[in-house]
Amino acid sequence: MSQVFILIKEHLNLLLFILIVKVVIVGGGLAGSLSALNIDAETSIFEEHHSPGFPMSCAGLISEECYKKLIKLSRYCKKAKMNRIRGAFLFSPSGNYTEIIGRDKGIVVERKILDAQLLREASKKSEINMNAKVLEIRRDKILVRIDGKIKEFNFNFLIGADGVYSIVRKRMGFKSPSIYTAIQYLIEFHSLDSNMVELYFGKRYSDSFFAYAIPINDDFARIGVISKKNPEIYFRNLIKKHVSVSERVGKSIIEINNGAIPIGLIDFVRENVALIGDAAGMVKPYTGGGIYYSLIAAEILGDNFPNLKKFKTEYLKEMRREYIYGEKIRRLYTLLSDEEYEHLIKIVRDVDLSKVSMDSPSSILKIMPKVVRLLKNSKLFLKILNNFIFKNYI
Ligand SMILES: Cc1cc2nc3c(=O)[nH]c(=O)nc-3n(C[C@H](O)[C@H](O)[C@H](O)COP(=O)(O)OP(=O)(O)OC[C@H]3O[C@@H](n4cnc5c(N)ncnc54)[C@H](O)[C@@H]3O)c2cc1C
């Protein structure tokens, strides 16, 4: 009998909590909607634009596992699916390429549709305020411009899901991640295989990252460059001078996006405020992909809410290793010379990548013994070993 009372008390406490506690979520993009869907409390989303995911700059490549999780949240996310990816071609600076097939299959989604479906799902349990730009944050309230009028809203908990230039991060005194720049075209392109991503390495195509082509069908691809600076220059090099891309790119351009990518997970919890998604630097440091890591963060936030400290500890427990290895891989993009890229991409042919997962950079450890054997006696061997063994960046 006493157990029944305890159960009823727990349920009443939860109900009371849901009714009393006000959670404000700034940003109605992916991380904002995912947070609202996972938190059991009264949530209000404030989104500065009148449609979600606008302006959007994302290639929309996610793992099949991530896609399945999104569909579990809303079956309408299926509408966002555009293409299926089975692997990648890694291009060396001179244009030679190696095919790699990892553990995961990939799905290309249209982010405008995905974000709209997630926000629509979130609206079933959350109050959505569109055209509502958060201008200022005080101790327990936000100042919002809604339809031209300034209004105040109180909160008990504040979630900053407001992207790479987060106002919540700035106003609440969090550190900023490093910001990389990106340019992306949705453009006519004859892929070598429309179910394979193409990655282009070398100093001509990015100062410290890579360029890519992600096919959405047989005729079009999202072609982009991520770099610390001047992505337009690298993009021009890619489409005008790259020995293979320049031959396959067409004239029809459907969309051009400029974007920014936060690299480096920052401290993302302070008292009653948490950052999530790009605001917190929750992206894979070696690809710039943020959808999966934000999804995992939202799940952990929901499991631990309202204990934000525990949200942080649990997220780090699950993901810290991935950030460390993602960062180690990303470091190679600046460390490797064009010659070394040529060598590395050639030897990758002889490595079995079937256990390496795109969402888990630490899974690269599974191929390290083979890579080390193949690289033995070269200068590259020491460089890679030093990078992987001795340097931790988190
Ligand atoms: C070129 C490019 C390609 C990419 N490709 C991939 C990919 O293939 N796969 C992948 O996983 N990731 C990719 N990413 C990363 C991915 O797009 C981001 O990690 C993801 O969008 C982060 O979601 P978010 O909700 O945190 O931020 P956003 O999607 O930026 O959402 C933030 C929201 O907050 C709103 N907002 C901001 N300030 C305020 C304010 N003051 N008041 C109210 N609302 C506000 C914005 O309007 C926006 O809707 C790519 C990024 C770029 C730039």
Side-chain angles (χ1 to χ4, degrees), residues 118-300:
L118 287 173
L119 191 67
R120 174 184 145 154
E121 197 64 34
S123 72
K124 292 180 186 163
K125 59 188 294 251
S126 184
E127 183 202 30
I128 312 288
N129 302 277
M130 299 306 283
N131 215 355
K133 184 178 171 83
V134 174
L135 301 173
E136 207 39 83
I137 301 160
R138 309 253 190 264
R139 242 177 73 81
D140 57 357
K141 56 173 81 91
I142 53 168
L143 256 65
V144 187
R145 188 174 58 227
I146 300 185
D147 298 327
K149 291 191 188 102
I150 311 281
K151 293 185 183 166
E152 281 185 5
F153 295 86
N154 290 326
F155 63 82
N156 301 100
F157 292 93
L158 179 66
I159 309 295
D162 48 343
V164 68
Y165 299 114
S166 167
I167 186 173
V168 178
R169 187 179 69 219
K170 270 184 227 149
R171 295 293 189 270
M172 303 315 278
F174 290 91
K175 252 178 82 181
S176 170
S178 269
I179 310 281
Y180 280 61
T181 54
I183 187 162
Q184 181 177 280
Y185 278 50
L186 177 51
I187 188 169
E188 190 181 351
F189 186 59
H190 304 290
S191 326
L192 295 179
D193 176 330
S194 57
N195 299 111
M196 296 286 279
V197 163
E198 298 182 19
L199 302 179
Y200 313 104
F201 295 95
K203 303 291 175 228
R204 255 165 295 167
Y205 310 116
S206 173
D207 52 12
S208 51
F209 224 90
F210 55 71
Y212 57 84
I214 299 180
I216 60 160
N217 56 33
D218 288 341
D219 303 317
F220 281 87
R222 294 199 173 106
I223 301 187
V225 167
I226 302 172
S227 68
K228 198 75 189 129
K229 282 189 199 142
N230 304 322
E232 309 79 15
I233 296 176
Y234 298 111
F235 185 81
R236 222 175 301 133
N237 284 347
L238 183 73
I239 59 164
K240 296 246 186 288
K241 296 185 188 156
H242 190 280
V243 64
S244 170
V245 177
S246 60
E247 293 292 312
R248 293 183 285 130
V249 76
K251 286 206 164 61
S252 307
I253 299 168
I254 294 183
E255 215 173 78
I256 302 175
N257 301 117
N258 292 300
I261 296 191
I263 298 288
L265 180 69
I266 55 161
D267 189 5
F268 53 93
V269 168
R270 192 165 289 172
E271 293 169 27
N272 59 341
V273 183
L275 303 175
I276 190 164
D278 274 9
M282 288 174 179
V283 308
K284 290 177 229 169
Y286 82 113
T287 64
I291 301 175
Y292 185 65
Y293 283 13
S294 299
L295 176 63
I296 298 293
E299 285 175 357
I300 297 177

Side-chain angles (χ1 to χ4, degrees), residues 27 30-31 47-49 57-61 111 132 134 162 278 288-291:
L30 176 105
E47 167 54 50
E48 67 174 311
H49 295 109
S57 80
C58 182
L61 179 65
R111 275 293 298 279
V134 174
D162 48 343
D278 274 9
I291 301 175

